[in-house]
Amino acid sequence: DTAVSQTPKYLVTQMGNDKSIKCEQNLGHDTMYWYKQDSKKFLKIMFSYNNKELIINETVPNRFSPKSPDKAHLNLHINSLELGDSAVYFCASSQDDSGWDTQYFGPGTRLTVL
Amino acid sequence: AQKITQTQPGMFVQEKEAVTLDCTYDTSDPSYGLFWYKQPSSGEMIFLIYQGSYDQQNATEGRYSLNFQKARKSANLVISASQLGDSAMYFCAMREEASGGSYIPTFGRGTSLIVHP
């Protein structure tokens, strides 16, 4: 059974479009995250939710809107896509938001904006 | 200021030899945890090993061990008996306190390890 799953795995789209990436975890964790990994492999946190409540928003443009319908799901919607949004987006989860716990990552979604 | 520093962008090691990947960190927290993750070319992020600041012993997990030197604020990953499958990016990570009392997971820039046959 996949612990953290993301869909789609690849996403190719035109500038200006709106797209969503879905994430689900079956680990029973309270905290979920979205990360962006750029072409130089730098991994930076974007958002964190704990029990459906937003707790971290790292100065991400408001074109990015996370939504957590329940604590097992954290989706990422991106409006008006730009070339600079091209990256790999990772979803992750951990037991809680204390920072002590191991994070479990999804397989990543490679977004290419043309 | 960068919280986690990995000074080796790339490392090479011969198969079956040991290799050390460096990680230094900056924190004022009296207690903290350090994590190492592996990212092979297939892209997934895999948890390897964890070290708590108050752990009495250095962490070990199979061929992975941590050379944890608290006074130096370093937590270097040692991979013994390297295998070809160890070729990957390796990331050191820890939490960073943010405003409002929350914690932000922070990653180093990673080290690319290539294992030669």
Side-chain angles (χ1 to χ4, degrees):
Chain A
D1 286 341
T2 304
V4 183
S5 59
Q6 290 178 235
T7 54
K9 189 165 174 60
Y10 300 97
L11 190 51
V12 181
T13 188
Q14 300 286 334
M15 266 175 44
N17 284 351
D18 303 338
K19 290 293 179 186
S20 292
I21 307 172
K22 295 186 176 182
C23 178
E24 177 181 1
Q25 55 95 3
N26 62 6
L27 298 167
H29 287 167
D30 287 344
T31 306
M32 295 185 72
Y33 311 83
W34 277 111
Y35 287 89
K36 179 179 180 180
Q37 187 174 45
D38 63 22
S39 58
K40 294 184 178 178
K41 300 289 189 180
F42 181 48
L43 194 66
K44 182 158 171 55
I45 190 161
M46 301 172 67
F47 301 103
S48 171
Y49 271 73
N50 189 57
N51 272 321
K52 303 193 297 176
E53 180 183 346
L54 178 67
I55 55 172
I56 294 173
N57 181 342
E58 279 294 283
T59 60
V60 177
N62 57 15
R63 298 183 294 106
F64 291 79
S65 51
K67 283 189 174 50
S68 183
D70 55 61
K71 73 174 193 177
H73 295 83
L74 180 61
N75 303 323
L76 183 65
H77 187 76
I78 315 170
N79 289 327
S80 304
L81 278 155
E82 300 177 357
L83 294 177
D85 297 332
S86 295
V88 179
Y89 291 84
F90 284 98
C91 176
S93 73
S94 63
Q95 189 63 55
D96 59 38
D97 63 343
S98 66
W100 292 108
D101 295 310
T102 299
Q103 292 181 62
Y104 295 86
F105 284 79
T109 296
R110 182 174 293 276
L111 171 65
T112 303
V113 182
L114 303 174
Chain B
Q2 192 168 359
K3 187 78 170 172
I4 296 272
T5 303
Q6 294 181 254
T7 57
Q8 306 151 313
M11 288 283 287
F12 297 88
V13 66
Q14 202 75 25
E15 196 177 7
K16 300 181 185 176
E17 293 185 351
V19 62
T20 298
L21 306 183
D22 294 343
C23 173
T24 58
Y25 57 91
D26 181 30
T27 183
S28 55
D29 284 344
S31 61
Y32 49 90
L34 292 143
F35 303 83
W36 277 91
Y37 292 85
K38 172 185 178 182
Q39 186 177 37
S41 59
S42 51
E44 70 269 31
M45 293 285 288
I46 303 165
F47 166 72
L48 293 179
I49 194 167
Y50 168 81
Q51 177 78 51
S53 60
Y54 282 109
D55 290 344
Q56 294 297 315
Q57 295 185 345
N58 287 344
T60 61
E61 286 286 347
R63 295 186 299 110
Y64 303 109
S65 61
L66 270 176
N67 181 2
F68 180 51
Q69 299 185 48
K70 195 171 178 179
R72 291 186 174 187
K73 294 188 176 178
S74 73
N76 299 337
L77 177 70
V78 181
I79 305 174
S80 61
S82 296
Q83 301 173 356
L84 295 179
D86 293 334
S87 294
M89 283 289 288
Y90 289 82
F91 294 94
C92 183
M94 71 182 300
R95 70 179 194 177
E96 179 176 2
E97 188 169 1
S99 59
S102 62
Y103 292 95
I104 301 173
T106 302
F107 285 73
R109 290 196 169 265
T111 295
S112 175
L113 175 67
I114 296 176
V115 180
H116 289 300

